[in-house]
Amino acid sequence: MASIFSRIVAGEIPCYKVAETEDCLAFLDIAPIAKGHVLCIPKKEVDYLFDIEDELYCKLQLFAKKVAKGLKKTCPCVKVGVAVIGVDVPHAHIHLVPLQNGSELNFKNKYEMSSEELAELAQEIAKNIE
């Protein structure tokens, strides 16, 4: 059975897309722990980050770096935090979280945003990705 992220890639489930390449997709987390919490995924479904073939792994990391730079322009922060948990969805993904003091990188926290706010934020971030 395809993961929820593979279903997003296939267009079966909508997302708040912020960036896309031939191999990768970035979209807002719908249960964010901070405003601007983005997920970067390879379009190819691979459960464990370190099982991704080297070429795609490098593309994903460089893609996440590019997205993080756009995210920092959109959501002013001290740094963009990075986390790879890998147990909640069986599809490798990188969390990018705007940080003010580091306490935001607690996945028990949830930042409430409406669908309209998510859509507007996704568009803002997308405009800032170079």
Side-chain angles (χ1 to χ4, degrees):
M1 184 168 123
S3 75
I4 190 169
F5 293 164
S6 290
R7 294 181 65 207
I8 289 171
V9 169
E12 297 171 15
I13 297 174
C15 72
Y16 298 97
K17 180 174 23 175
V18 299
E20 183 174 19
T21 65
E22 182 179 329
D23 300 302
C24 302
L25 178 65
F27 52 91
L28 293 176
D29 191 311
I30 59 168
I33 60 172
K35 182 179 180 180
H37 180 174
V38 172
L39 300 175
C40 295
I41 67 168
K43 289 183 176 179
K44 178 180 180 184
E45 185 174 316
V46 178
D47 180 18
Y48 183 50
L49 183 72
F50 298 119
D51 286 339
I52 297 173
E53 69 223 32
D54 290 351
E55 184 179 348
L56 180 56
Y57 178 85
C58 290
K59 286 180 180 180
L60 177 62
Q61 292 293 341
L62 290 171
F63 177 74
K65 179 180 177 180
K66 185 176 181 179
V67 172
K69 288 181 178 189
L71 179 57
K72 192 168 189 305
K73 286 180 184 177
T74 308
C75 297
C77 56
V78 175
K79 293 185 177 179
V80 173
V82 178
V84 176
I85 311 301
V87 295
D88 48 344
V89 176
H91 190 131
H93 55 288
I94 298 171
H95 295 264
L96 300 177
V97 181
L99 303 176
Q100 299 305 327
N101 58 31
S103 65
E104 301 89 349
L105 208 52
N106 177 342
F107 285 83
K108 291 185 179 184
N109 295 338
K110 297 297 175 197
Y111 186 90
E112 297 293 324
M113 294 183 75
S114 69
S115 296
E116 294 79 17
E117 290 171 317
L118 286 165
E120 184 178 315
L121 182 59
Q123 290 176 353
E124 283 183 57
I125 295 168
K127 284 191 282 187
N128 282 312
I129 296 173
E130 298 172 5

